[in-house]
Amino acid sequence: MNILVINAGSSSLKYQLIRMEDESILCKGVCERIGIDGKYSYKAMNGYKVEKEADLFTHKDAFDVILHEMVQGEGHVIDSVNEIAAIGHRVTHGGDKFSHSVLVDEATIDAIANMRDISPLHNPPQAATIRACRTVFGEALPMAAVFDTAFHATMPPKAYTFAIPYKYYEEHGVRRYGFHGTSHRYVSGRMAELLGEMPHRLITCHLGNGSSLAAIKDGKVVDTSMGFTPLDGIIMGTRCGSIDPSIVSYIANLENLHERGMNRLLNNESGLLGVSGVSSDFRDVLEEAENGNERAQLAADMLEYQLVKLIGSYAAALGGVDAILFTGGIGENAMGLREQVMDDGTGVCYRVPEFDLEVSAQDENPYKTMEYNQLALQLFQMGFFREDMADQALRCLELMEFKNKDQLTAAILQGKQQAAMAQTAEGAASGGGMAVKQTAMERMRQQTHEAVRPR
Ligand code: ADP
């Protein structure tokens, strides 16, 4: 069964055709500058690649071009459109209406389009894209709409209500919705899959051009940082994140800006770009900071500080935290940032970025890492020692990225050594051995406390 997945913007359309049996990508590409002039790329699994300019006046034109490449082009990957079993569309805003993915019918398309008030930039073009897709592929082909907001639908009112007159929620749907839901859902699910269980209290950090965090309790989102729109939360590539709302009217008056101009300033000219004056791209910002650019350094410091602050507040909201997960271009690759965030006082024991999970998944002897982590910590905190468990804990420390991993490893190794000495002493002189053992235990407990306690 092949599924075509579509991620449409107002002037772009990204696509992948996936063979579900082995989840391999048969072909993928992007159509850009739709409605302006148009160009597209197509890459097939057999290595065929094409990048062309084409008249893409509408999204329907884009679908025609893609379909032609997939079915009849030089690098075609299927023989007929009938080999596509279903289509999935990413939709930005599901509002209060959609708390999970749905099969698309006319009413769904209307509902998506009708959310233009709360999502003017995304929902109307996405509804139009789904309609165009139905025209090209026919109404009989099942299509699903997958909403960025849906995973956050479990948030309680105290997390999603803004402290403004209530009628704006009741009559106009002004509340926190949250975005990046597909990402938060995927990474939390993948983590649970690889660890064998869902962490009880998890914080997922999606850090890309747009960034958001989610506080997840037993697999359900209880809070998230993006709000009514994706503008809220932490500093992003070009978006400001949370700011004092009075700044909006103050700058609007100062610059004589109206809604559009103000939206552009906050969405496209702020964030890392606005502060650094260099770039919205975190790699560029880091490079400039290394070269001594103080504003670039400030932008990087702000991202790190805001992350620590938000993680700390979510840890409080969750009543503690068992795991923090980083994903997105920055989250996966900026190891220095992750290190710094974990070192700067988040008060958590360990973190499990996606790529580390992949490592443990490939291990020929995957085991219940989470349980062993907890067991090891509890074991040493309580002052008990069992050599077989210490070995498992050490193996676990090798696989996972623990906070204060080195200290913890050293404490366990030293504990092993001292326990072995204690056993020898016990054998040599009964009575004296017990005292040696207790001293070793006490020291171990102290060191372990130092290693695992929140800074
Ligand atoms: P999008 O939100 O557009 O999908 P990505 O998730 O691809 O974006 O993330 C893009 C961001 O990831 C950019 O700011 C980029 O600089 C950053 N990034 C990618 N690789 C690295 C790296 N090695 N170190 C630091 N930042 C990186």
Side-chain angles (χ1 to χ4, degrees):
M1 180 169 83
N2 302 324
I3 292 185
L4 179 64
V5 288
I6 309 278
N7 182 359
S10 52
S11 66
S12 72
L13 192 156
K14 293 181 192 149
Y15 65 93
Q16 287 189 355
L17 182 65
I18 301 167
R19 183 167 60 202
M20 293 312 291
E21 284 75 13
D22 58 357
E23 299 198 1
S24 61
I25 298 168
L26 298 180
C27 67
K28 65 177 183 179
V30 53
C31 300
E32 292 170 280
R33 300 178 62 82
I34 300 168
I36 306 164
D37 39 25
K39 68 175 195 181
Y40 74 94
S41 68
Y42 172 87
K43 191 174 166 194
M45 73 184 296
N46 59 16
Y48 175 85
K49 256 201 255 184
V50 64
E51 247 185 79
K52 267 192 199 164
E53 310 222 323
D55 288 339
L56 304 179
F57 298 118
T58 64
H59 281 80
K60 181 180 172 305
D61 295 336
F63 282 121
D64 283 334
V65 165
I66 299 169
L67 196 56
H68 177 82
E69 290 289 352
M70 284 191 294
V71 180
Q72 292 162 6
E74 215 177 305
H76 75 275
V77 289
I78 49 177
D79 294 323
S80 142
V81 68
N82 296 332
E83 289 179 43
I84 300 174
I87 300 179
H89 292 272
R90 177 189 175 196
V91 180
T92 307
H93 220 308
D96 271 336
K97 227 181 171 68
F98 299 105
S99 55
H100 46 79
S101 306
V102 292
L103 275 175
V104 170
D105 56 16
E106 268 308 306
T108 311
I109 303 179
D110 285 344
I112 293 170
N114 286 341
M115 274 169 225
R116 66 174 62 82
D117 284 351
I118 54 176
S119 176
L121 298 178
H122 297 104
N123 275 43
Q126 283 163 351
T129 306
I130 299 174
R131 271 217 172 86
C133 196
R134 255 154 94 88
T135 314
V136 174
F137 291 91
E139 289 197 8
L141 188 65
M143 296 205 285
V146 179
F147 299 91
D148 264 11
T149 47
F151 187 53
H152 303 298
T154 47
M155 269 189 292
K158 67 181 176 188
Y160 71 63
T161 309
F162 290 119
I164 55 174
Y166 199 65
K167 71 169 186 178
Y168 293 106
Y169 165 59
E170 283 185 309
E171 295 170 24
H172 303 279
V174 178
R175 51 158 281 187
R176 179 179 305 284
Y177 289 101
F179 297 86
H180 289 149
T182 48
S183 169
H184 292 290
R185 179 179 160 165
Y186 172 77
V187 294
S188 55
R190 182 96 178 105
M191 185 176 201
E193 209 176 283
L194 291 166
L195 296 178
E197 65 181 343
M198 178 64 81
H200 176 42
R201 299 156 306 182
L202 168 68
I203 298 172
T204 47
C205 310
H206 176 111
L207 311 175
N209 279 319
S211 299
S212 68
L213 273 68
I216 301 176
K217 201 166 202 168
D218 299 323
K220 292 197 165 69
V221 174
V222 293
D223 208 344
T224 189
S225 61
M226 282 182 168
F228 179 57
T229 70
L231 191 55
D232 199 9
I234 54 168
I235 178 172
M236 301 174 224
T238 57
R239 294 187 201 130
C240 59
S242 305
I243 57 170
D244 178 346
S246 311
I247 294 170
V248 179
S249 53
Y250 182 78
I251 295 183
N253 281 333
L254 202 68
E255 303 281 0
N256 198 19
L257 286 173
H258 292 285
E259 188 192 333
R260 251 181 108 120
M262 211 51 222
N263 269 335
R264 193 176 331 109
L265 187 144
L266 299 173
N267 278 288
N268 305 111
E269 298 164 13
S270 299
L272 296 175
L273 173 68
V275 176
S276 71
V278 170
S279 169
S280 62
D281 191 289
F282 192 54
R283 274 168 301 196
D284 297 344
V285 171
L286 287 179
E287 202 180 308
E288 273 300 304
E290 292 254 306
N291 293 338
N293 183 323
E294 286 179 10
R295 270 173 51 193
Q297 186 63 56
L298 173 63
D301 289 347
M302 283 170 70
L303 174 59
E304 194 265 338
Y305 176 66
Q306 292 186 12
L307 269 170
V308 169
K309 215 162 63 158
L310 203 51
I311 288 172
S313 72
Y314 282 173
L318 288 165
V321 58
D322 299 305
I324 298 181
L325 199 153
F326 293 90
T327 189
I330 298 175
E332 287 162 33
N333 300 304
M335 289 179 76
L337 176 73
R338 288 206 311 264
E339 290 289 331
Q340 222 180 323
V341 167
M342 300 309 291
D343 282 349
D344 276 354
T346 57
V348 296
C349 301
Y350 56 86
R351 61 194 187 279
V352 190
E354 176 74 3
F355 74 91
D356 288 325
L357 286 174
E358 297 297 348
V359 172
S360 35
Q362 282 159 16
D363 195 273
E364 72 290 354
N365 181 22
Y367 45 73
K368 292 182 179 170
T369 323
M370 183 77 82
E371 276 172 26
Y372 286 125
N373 280 339
Q374 285 166 350
L375 199 59
L377 291 181
Q378 281 164 9
L379 202 70
F380 288 97
Q381 275 171 319
M382 287 160 65
F384 290 115
F385 186 84
R386 276 179 43 184
E387 200 168 342
D388 57 331
M389 286 198 176
D391 285 343
Q392 288 164 336
L394 285 171
R395 180 80 183 103
C396 199
L397 280 166
E398 253 175 67
L399 281 180
M400 307 271 295
E401 281 197 52
F402 255 83
K403 182 173 172 65
N404 300 329
K405 181 174 177 150
D406 293 345
Q407 268 172 279
L408 200 53
T409 307
I412 296 173
L413 282 173
Q414 198 184 348
K416 269 184 76 170
Q417 209 178 14
Q418 285 170 338
M421 277 166 54
Q423 268 165 21
T424 315
E426 208 173 3
S430 60
M434 197 61 197
V436 175
K437 224 173 185 172
Q438 279 180 1
T439 313
M441 289 299 176
E442 194 46 50
R443 218 175 295 155
M444 234 159 52
R445 178 175 24 212
Q446 198 185 355
Q447 283 181 20
T448 311
H449 259 301
E450 281 167 15
V452 301
R453 76 165 178 228
R455 285 197 206 170

